[in-house]
């Protein structure tokens, strides 16, 4: 078993060393079902977990276009780890908390690991000071390494948005049920809270108004979550392209010419390469355009928001299809559960199933781009 990193080892971490270790240990993480804290500590040392912390509390916020490329880079080595890293951006949700509450969360520094299990919403019984929280929630990705975990309760205002209650890690039980094929190292376990009273100031409307006037906290909140999840798909698809390019030089067991000597192999690879990089360019352009609007002090318009959502859903779909197509030229060995392309195929289809990236996003985007009201609740 890998020993926990010493402070000196963590201090000496580089991106190269962290990604090399991820490549060595991803089998371990998949077997565990989660990315352990000792590896997350290395990413903390690289600044990943202060990239969405407010400057007010010592953070070093990254632009969305820059952060999604961090997620992509990690996911190119392992999709599950990329999925967990994507949630470092979720600190933007906490901008809706009162400032005093945020100050307490960041009291020990800006490097905070946060996870959440929002659904299914469980009733929070109102109390004199807040809510009595009791229930079980699913899909709390990265919760094993988290400092703080939030859970979802029904909203109590006119927005129609759910409310989230933030708890310390020691107030939450984690149930390690995660029997899946794709993203199996993401630790998207169930979380249980047993009758804990949470003060109202430790709850917030998910997607509600922010209490921070900083650029990242003026950027479209839900759109950002769509972007970070689709970044995982980009990393996985680029890993598949890497594998197919390298495998092209190999000769099969039949003694036939190398795969790269075959026209169908080269053609499929080239089409896949063009598809991924075209989708990526639209996606990064949309992120940068909206970021510049925010930096200028303006509010992004409906069409800009639609491009964020459309480009993110498109990336997730294109990347899933690309990995599928590349598997079809990778030979019979791909049916093995341990074949690299099989593992990538399993991961590639997960992002497009996320709530922010489903097929309804095309209708929502199409409506807005044609000057009509969005057909998707919470789309804008």
């Amino acid at each position: 078993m890998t020993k926990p990193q010493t402070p000196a080892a963590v201090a000496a971490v580089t991106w190269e060393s962290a990604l090399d270790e991820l490549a060595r240990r991803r089998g371990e993480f998949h077997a565990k079902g989660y990315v352990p804290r000792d590896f997350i500590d290395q990413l903390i040392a690289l600044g990943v977990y202060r990239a969405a912390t407010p400057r007010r509390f010592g953070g070093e916020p990254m632009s969305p276009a820059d952060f999604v490329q961090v997620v992509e880079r990690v996911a190119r080595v392992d999709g599950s780890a990329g999925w967990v890293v994507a949630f470092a951006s979720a600190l933007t949700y906490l901008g809706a908390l009162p400032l005093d509450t945020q100050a307490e969360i960041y009291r020990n520094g800006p490097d905070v690991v946060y996870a959440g299990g929002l659904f299914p919403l469980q009733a929070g019984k109102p109390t004199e000071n807040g809510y009595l929280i009791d229930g079980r929630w699913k899909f709390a990705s990265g919760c094993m390494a988290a400092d703080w975990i939030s859970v979802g309760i029904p909203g109590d205002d006119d927005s129609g948005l759910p409310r989230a209650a933030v708890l310390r890690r020691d107030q939450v039980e984690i149930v390690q049920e995660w029997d899946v094929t794709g993203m199996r190292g993401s630790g998207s376990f169930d979380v249980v809270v047993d009758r804990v009273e949470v003060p109202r100031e430790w709850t917030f409307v998910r997607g509600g108004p922010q209490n921070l006037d900083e650029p990242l906290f003026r950027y479209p909140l839900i759109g950002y979550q769509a972007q970070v999840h689709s970044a995982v798909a980009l990393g996985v698809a680029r890993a598949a392209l890497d594998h197919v390019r390298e495998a092209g030089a190999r000769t099969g067991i039949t003694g036939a010419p190398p795969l790269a000597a075959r026209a169908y192999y080269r053609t499929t690879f080239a089409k896949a390469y063009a598809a991924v990089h075209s989708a990526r360019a639209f996606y990064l352009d949309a992120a940068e355009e909206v970021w510049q609007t925010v930096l200028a002090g303006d509010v992004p318009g409906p069409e800009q928001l639609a491009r964020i959502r459309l480009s993110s859903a498109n990336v997730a779909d294109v990347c899933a299809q690309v990995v599928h197509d590349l598997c079809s030229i990778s030979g019979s060995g791909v049916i093995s559960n341990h074949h690299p392309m099989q593992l990538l195929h399993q991961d590639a289809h997960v992002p497009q199933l996320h709530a922010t990236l489903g097929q309804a996003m095309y209708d929502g985007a199409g409506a807005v781009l044609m000057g009509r009201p969005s057909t998707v609740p919470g789309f804008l």
Side-chain angles (χ1 to χ4, degrees):
M1 189 166 100
T2 304
K3 293 181 179 179
Q5 297 290 306
T6 64
V10 171
V13 71
T14 65
W15 271 110
E16 182 179 23
S17 67
L19 295 179
D20 284 349
E21 180 168 339
L22 176 58
R24 291 193 304 272
R25 296 181 65 190
R26 59 191 170 195
E28 171 201 337
F29 299 167
H30 289 195
K32 289 177 180 290
Y34 65 92
V35 180
R37 179 67 188 228
D38 71 290
F39 184 76
I40 295 299
D41 283 341
Q42 296 191 44
L43 300 177
I44 287 174
L46 291 168
V48 171
Y49 284 88
R50 62 177 59 187
T53 297
R55 288 195 184 280
R56 180 189 184 105
F57 300 113
E60 299 174 6
M62 294 177 67
S63 74
D66 287 340
F67 184 75
V68 297
Q69 290 178 80
V70 170
V71 176
E72 177 188 18
R73 186 177 185 183
V74 175
R76 197 169 179 176
V77 179
D78 179 60
S80 293
W83 193 261
V84 172
V85 167
F87 282 93
S89 67
L91 291 176
T92 52
Y93 282 126
L94 302 186
L97 286 167
L99 291 177
D100 287 347
T101 304
Q102 294 184 56
E104 180 63 21
I105 288 173
Y106 298 113
R107 179 167 57 90
N108 295 322
D111 301 306
V112 168
V113 183
Y114 165 63
L118 186 67
F119 296 109
L121 298 178
Q122 304 289 343
K125 182 180 178 181
T127 65
E128 183 177 351
N129 298 315
Y131 302 90
L132 185 64
I133 307 299
D134 188 71
R136 181 167 174 161
W137 294 260
K138 303 191 74 64
F139 302 122
S141 301
C143 59
M144 291 293 287
D147 303 309
W148 301 88
I149 296 174
S150 69
V151 296
I153 60 177
D156 54 5
D157 59 20
D158 296 330
S159 69
L161 298 170
R163 183 169 285 274
V166 181
L167 300 102
R168 298 188 311 273
R169 167 64 183 85
D170 61 10
Q171 294 176 298
V172 179
E173 176 191 358
I174 295 174
V175 182
Q176 296 185 40
E177 290 187 2
W178 186 237
D179 185 14
V180 296
T181 53
M183 303 295 172
R184 61 178 176 242
S186 67
S188 302
F189 299 138
D190 290 8
V191 292
V192 176
V193 179
D194 184 13
R195 296 182 60 80
V196 175
E197 184 176 23
V198 177
R200 187 173 180 85
E201 61 269 23
W202 283 84
T203 72
F204 64 92
V205 176
R206 186 177 178 272
Q210 301 282 290
N211 288 318
L212 287 156
D213 187 19
E214 297 186 17
L216 188 58
F217 293 84
R218 297 196 302 268
Y219 191 86
L221 184 62
I222 304 300
Y224 190 22
Q225 289 306 300
Q227 290 173 314
V228 297
H229 287 88
S230 55
V232 178
L234 271 177
V236 171
R238 294 187 69 186
L241 287 168
D242 293 341
H243 177 82
V244 168
R245 178 160 34 200
E246 293 168 6
R250 301 173 193 159
T251 301
I253 60 174
T254 64
L259 290 169
R262 308 176 194 186
Y264 74 84
Y265 194 87
R266 298 191 301 267
T267 299
T268 301
F269 174 82
K271 288 182 177 180
Y273 186 97
V276 169
H277 286 83
S278 297
R280 184 177 187 269
F282 173 34
Y283 162 82
L284 292 178
D285 282 351
E288 186 60 26
E289 176 194 350
V290 174
W291 181 243
Q292 291 303 320
T293 296
V294 169
L295 289 180
D298 297 325
V299 177
E303 290 199 9
Q304 290 180 304
L305 300 180
R307 283 195 288 274
I308 284 179
R309 304 299 293 272
L310 176 60
S311 62
S312 299
N314 182 60
V315 157
D317 280 352
V318 166
C319 289
Q321 186 62 51
V322 158
V323 176
H324 176 81
D325 293 345
L326 293 175
C327 281
S328 73
I329 61 169
S330 294
S332 59
V334 78
I335 67 174
S336 168
N337 284 330
H338 301 289
H339 192 284
M341 288 299 292
Q342 181 61 239
L343 299 175
L344 293 169
H345 189 264
Q346 292 166 2
D347 282 351
H349 292 278
V350 176
Q352 66 180 167
L353 301 176
H354 192 270
T356 62
L357 298 171
Q359 295 302 297
M361 300 306 125
Y362 292 101
D363 184 36
V368 173
L369 293 173
M370 296 178 73
R372 300 179 63 83
S374 172
T375 56
V376 178
F379 187 82
L380 298 177

